[in-house]
Amino acid sequence: MTQQRTEYVRDHVEHARCSNAPEPPGAADLLRLIKVKLHAFLDPPSTTLASYPETDSSVLARYARAIAYYRIPSLDKALPAIDGLIRDFPKNPYYRELKGQMLFENGHTSEAIRPYEEAVRLAPNAALLRIALSQTYIESGDPALNKRAIAYLNDASREEGRESQVWHFLAVAYGRDNQMGMAALSLAEQALANGKKKDAIQQADRAKHLLARNIAAYARAEEIHREAKQGDD
């Protein structure tokens, strides 16, 4: 954060029409939770565990310790910690997301599916949760779940179209489903999102070669080619 950016944000907060609006219920608690989450993911686990010892039974401390144990990694402590939060706050999708992440990143792909699915059920409009679930579906190796991942990722792409990770996962999922034209189109989208114009042109041309001319995907490949070409001139 530069001083200029800080001043810009401060000025915006002071003069925005919503500045005098009452604080939404629970906003302060949510902000504290976000700050604890950031510190727990960025600080060394030893620092987090020293700041939030086992004698601290607050929600923030339990959340911080769950993340710290997961990062060590020590699943034998992390999973009971996050399970306790899920039990006490069953409507919070992000505790379930964290459990899915813990399991997935430690090689327990099949076990990670259920908590991710529950997180998406609780927050169906959260595109990033659908993306995380889709990655788990893809890595499960189940063709039916791979197809489900394609549907979820296409939904997420309408909200997170500039997020290159969406297109990367779509390319993988389409490839495993033997839809090579759509895989190439997804790679073209990924390259465009990353500002790699030449790669976008190459993959768009490949997609056009593989796709039928009379479908929307072919038209999108042409559009990507034109957009990348203009940006490359």
Side-chain angles (χ1 to χ4, degrees), residues 19-30:
S19 293
N20 295 323
E23 184 178 281
D29 290 339
L30 179 59

Side-chain angles (χ1 to χ4, degrees), residues 17-39:
R17 287 182 296 174
C18 60
S19 293
N20 295 323
E23 184 178 281
D29 290 339
L30 179 59
L31 178 60
R32 282 192 286 271
L33 196 67
I34 291 171
K35 290 172 68 176
V36 165
K37 180 178 182 178
L38 285 172
H39 275 291

Side-chain angles (χ1 to χ4, degrees), residues 59-185:
V59 173
L60 296 180
R62 293 164 63 192
Y63 192 37
R65 287 196 299 270
I67 295 170
Y69 289 140
Y70 145 68
R71 291 184 59 216
I72 287 175
S74 179
L75 280 189
D76 60 326
K77 292 184 177 180
L79 288 174
I82 199 62
D83 280 339
L85 288 168
I86 291 171
R87 181 182 61 251
D88 293 344
F89 303 94
K91 294 184 179 180
N92 186 315
Y94 297 102
Y95 293 149
R96 297 175 189 272
E97 176 203 19
L98 180 57
K99 181 175 181 178
Q101 183 177 353
M102 289 177 178
L103 292 165
F104 179 75
E105 294 187 0
N106 282 278
H108 303 284
T109 302
S110 60
E111 296 173 50
I113 290 175
R114 182 175 178 181
Y116 272 132
E117 287 180 334
E118 291 172 341
V120 169
R121 176 178 55 80
L122 290 168
N125 295 322
L128 295 180
L129 292 182
R130 294 201 299 274
I131 293 169
L133 173 58
S134 297
Q135 183 184 13
T136 310
Y137 280 160
I138 293 167
E139 294 304 321
S140 72
D142 184 328
L145 293 180
N146 189 74
K147 288 182 182 295
R148 196 179 299 177
I150 291 173
Y152 272 127
L153 289 166
N154 275 311
D155 284 343
S157 72
R158 286 186 273 274
E159 300 173 43
E160 301 287 339
R162 294 189 178 276
E163 173 55 61
S164 66
Q165 189 179 53
V166 178
W167 303 113
H168 169 74
F169 291 146
L170 261 175
V172 174
Y174 276 128
R176 294 189 180 187
D177 200 47
N178 203 33
Q179 297 188 55
M180 305 314 295
M182 293 303 296
L185 181 61

